[in-house]
Amino acid sequence: EAQVTQNPRYLITVTGKKLTVTCSQNMNHEYMSWYRQDPGLGLRQIYYSMNVEVTDKGDVPEGYKVSRKEKRNFPLILESPSPNQTSLYFCASSLYLGNTEAFFGQGTRLTVV
Amino acid sequence: DQQVKQNSPSLSVQEGRISILNCDYTNSMFDYFLWYKKYPAEGPTFLISISSIKDKNEDGRFTVFLNKSAKHLSLHIVPSQPGDSAVYFCAASATGNQFYFGTGTSLTVIP
């Protein structure tokens, strides 16, 4: 089954404690991205990757890091989480960047206290 | 600056009637538009798309209309069903660039 898998689904952590949210896709997609969803703000792109070892900032990259060492995986790293990073996070992949649909993971609900 | 706007946070419709969800955009370079549907505790799923060379695209009960001069698109669901109750996001992109999403409209279809 074609899917994007995120882990964990729910996470509560403390300020400053490094964490990683994993994302994996099984569709051999080139393009992957991370979004955060906040009330009244919709989905905002954090980082994206056009292919292995090619990443770039989206609209809200501050406080986040990513890596793309393999085509299927695109982890999101919060080196020193802060309460303003409490949000619902989605990983997405698509065949390429452009006129094509994206497939989303089920989301990770992160709370930073 | 929000390039894609959904001005109605919520919409309630009777089962069997038409649901109309609206979306406005500001960037005239956008040439591809999509609608996604999101249920609670799930990720968004693709619903329907339209290219800027068209003004209408239909898929079963779902039709998307694009008015480029007004920078406006709408999603029509006919007839609406209780299972259509979800949050709907519109998204837009310019060729080769990232997608920008609206803030979402929560649709409730009342049985």
Side-chain angles (χ1 to χ4, degrees):
Chain A
E1 180 189 354
Q3 59 185 3
V4 178
T5 304
Q6 289 178 234
N7 280 297
R9 293 289 311 275
Y10 302 92
L11 179 60
I12 300 174
T13 190
V14 297
T15 299
K17 185 176 181 182
K18 180 180 178 180
L19 65 93
T20 299
V21 183
T22 63
C23 174
S24 180
Q25 50 96 2
N26 64 359
M27 295 167 279
N28 202 36
H29 284 170
E30 289 188 352
Y31 184 77
M32 298 185 74
S33 56
W34 276 101
Y35 294 87
R36 60 180 287 174
Q37 183 189 356
D38 300 291
L41 296 175
L43 289 158
R44 295 180 294 166
Q45 192 177 60
I46 303 170
Y47 266 94
Y48 64 92
S49 169
M50 303 279 277
N51 213 322
V52 175
E53 302 292 2
V54 181
T55 63
D56 208 346
K57 298 176 180 178
D59 295 319
V60 288
E62 294 79 19
Y64 305 94
K65 285 175 56 177
V66 293
S67 69
R68 188 96 181 270
K69 293 184 169 56
E70 307 165 278
K71 199 170 188 178
R72 63 183 292 124
N73 296 323
F74 190 45
L76 179 69
I77 302 155
L78 284 73
E79 294 270 3
S80 183
S82 61
N84 65 10
Q85 292 178 297
T86 292
S87 187
L88 179 58
Y89 292 86
F90 291 102
C91 178
S93 75
S94 57
L95 196 55
Y96 48 83
L97 174 60
N99 299 354
T100 184
E101 69 190 81
F103 293 79
F104 283 81
Q106 290 189 293
T108 296
R109 172 74 66 184
L110 172 65
T111 302
V112 184
V113 297
Chain B
D1 183 30
Q2 198 81 22
Q3 297 193 52
V4 178
K5 299 177 184 178
Q6 293 175 257
N7 293 318
S8 298
S10 62
L11 175 68
S12 291
V13 171
Q14 286 289 136
E15 181 178 3
R17 306 293 290 269
I18 184 172
S19 294
I20 300 177
L21 294 89
N22 294 304
C23 180
D24 298 295
Y25 61 96
T26 58
N27 189 338
S28 58
M29 298 299 290
F30 288 153
D31 58 4
Y32 194 68
F33 306 86
L34 306 93
W35 284 93
Y36 287 86
K37 177 178 177 179
K38 183 184 177 305
Y39 292 119
E42 294 183 12
T45 55
F46 170 73
L47 189 58
I48 192 169
S49 63
I50 188 167
S51 164
S52 60
I53 62 172
K54 294 185 175 182
D55 53 19
K56 175 182 173 181
N57 188 27
E58 193 171 349
D59 183 2
R61 297 185 296 112
F62 302 91
T63 303
V64 56
F65 295 91
L66 176 62
N67 182 333
K68 290 185 288 293
S69 61
K71 295 191 179 70
H72 177 83
L73 66 156
S74 60
L75 174 68
H76 292 210
I77 306 173
V78 183
S80 300
Q81 300 174 353
D84 296 329
S85 296
V87 177
Y88 291 79
F89 291 98
C90 66
S93 79
T95 300
N97 288 283
Q98 68 163 322
F99 278 98
Y100 291 90
F101 285 81
T103 51
T105 296
S106 178
L107 172 66
T108 301
V109 180
I110 304 163

